[in-house]
Amino acid sequence: MDTQILRARFADSRSVWIAAVAVPLLLLAPALWNGYPLLQWDTGGYLARWYEGYLVPSRSTVFGLYLHFGEDSSFWINLGIQALATLWIVQLTLRVLGMAQPLRLLAMSLALILTTALPFLASMLLTDIFAGLSVLSLFILVLQGERTSTVEKILLFAFTAFAAATHSATLAVLLGLCCVGWTVRPFLRGRVPVSGLAQGSLTIVAGAAMLLSANFALSGQLAWTPGGYGVAFGRMLQDGIVTQYLRDHCQQQKLKLCPYRDQLPATADQFLWGNSMFNTLGRFKGLNDEMGFIVLRSLAEYPARQAEAALAATAQQLTQVATGEGTNAWIGHTYGIIERYIPSQVKPMRAARQQQWRLDFTAINRIHVPVALASMVLVAMLFAAGLRRGRLDDLTLLAGTVSLALLGNAFVCGVISGPHDRYGARIVWVATFVLLIAAVRYSEGETEPDDLRSS
């Protein structure tokens, strides 16, 4: 009997090491194949924050400092952190749900790597990997505190706060989840602990403080990252609301955009990042006040059209989940930032397959898109089925958390920035993860961990 126990423990230990080594390597397979971390158009804006010392729209200084920390390693330290954080959060989720087995972790991770955007998110120098991981870390911190140690709670708190500080949309989604938690808590028969909700809510406060502190340290301004009005303006322009406002008011109001009201680009991306009148009129510095004025006045004057556009944008964002947006195109801004501020990185960057136009997501998305769309529908159905049975077990709560996060992400990103595949792909993999958990639970006849069944 002792020999059998020792053999079992040795086999289990070996499985742990296999999972601990294999999963991070598989998560970083796209970067390893590329020969360099994957870059995106927005990467350069984050990299430049340390060097330029001023705030720019939608570019977190916290994430900029994080990237600067990894520069000397050609950013492989950053990718290592992202891969290990993914492994940690995924295995911790399985552990608190009573499903912690090394081979199960390896199998589920492999399924996610083959069918979702997860390895590309982990392999990229962008905030997107933290969007989905923070939803899981908040879920554990708020709802599974009794199954985590004090050290794990501290690490979860710090990780969630950091994730919130890396992107305003991530912060907004996490804030929305906490607000929903406080709202429904009285109706959930004690399933949502006050202490967990308090800790989760404080991560938002800590993330905001972290961002304000980094902004002050780098720019001398105690201010939020700018760009909210400009991004919202771009979405309204795309929906035709800006054109309508200019046509209705240019006779009475002297606005800089009035001479261009019949020449506005069709999309927000063309207006903000293309060769448009936005450049001629001074970009954010020259137009920020006017864009804010038009945004606020348009909200007041066209509420019905704004509501219709918001619903349409949210619905459209839910369907846009393809992997690779902004990665497989020319990203000259990021190249320029690296050449200007980190010349030692130019040679390996230029040698990477991505910069040789050898990165194509067409075949990949034949798998990723249907898996993502099906996962969103099925995880919502899983949540609805749990509510219908009247059993608020941990799987139902996880499915509900993820369903609300998907909806909140679609609303925040679709309404403020306009629908983009990148915004959907960065979080929808979590829905696939929940379905894998449900599939294992049901295939093995499990419904809840033993300690919850006995309570």
Side-chain angles (χ1 to χ4, degrees), residues 187-211:
F187 309 101
L188 296 185
R189 301 190 300 276
R191 291 292 284 119
V192 183
V194 172
S195 60
L197 267 176
Q199 291 172 39
S201 301
L202 285 174
T203 64
I204 311 302
V205 178
M210 194 182 302
L211 182 60

Side-chain angles (χ1 to χ4, degrees), residues 1 7 14 29 64 78 131 152 217 241 248 259 341 374:
M1 182 64 70
R7 286 177 178 174
R14 184 171 56 185
N78 301 98
E152 287 172 331
I241 295 172
D248 291 347
Y341 297 119

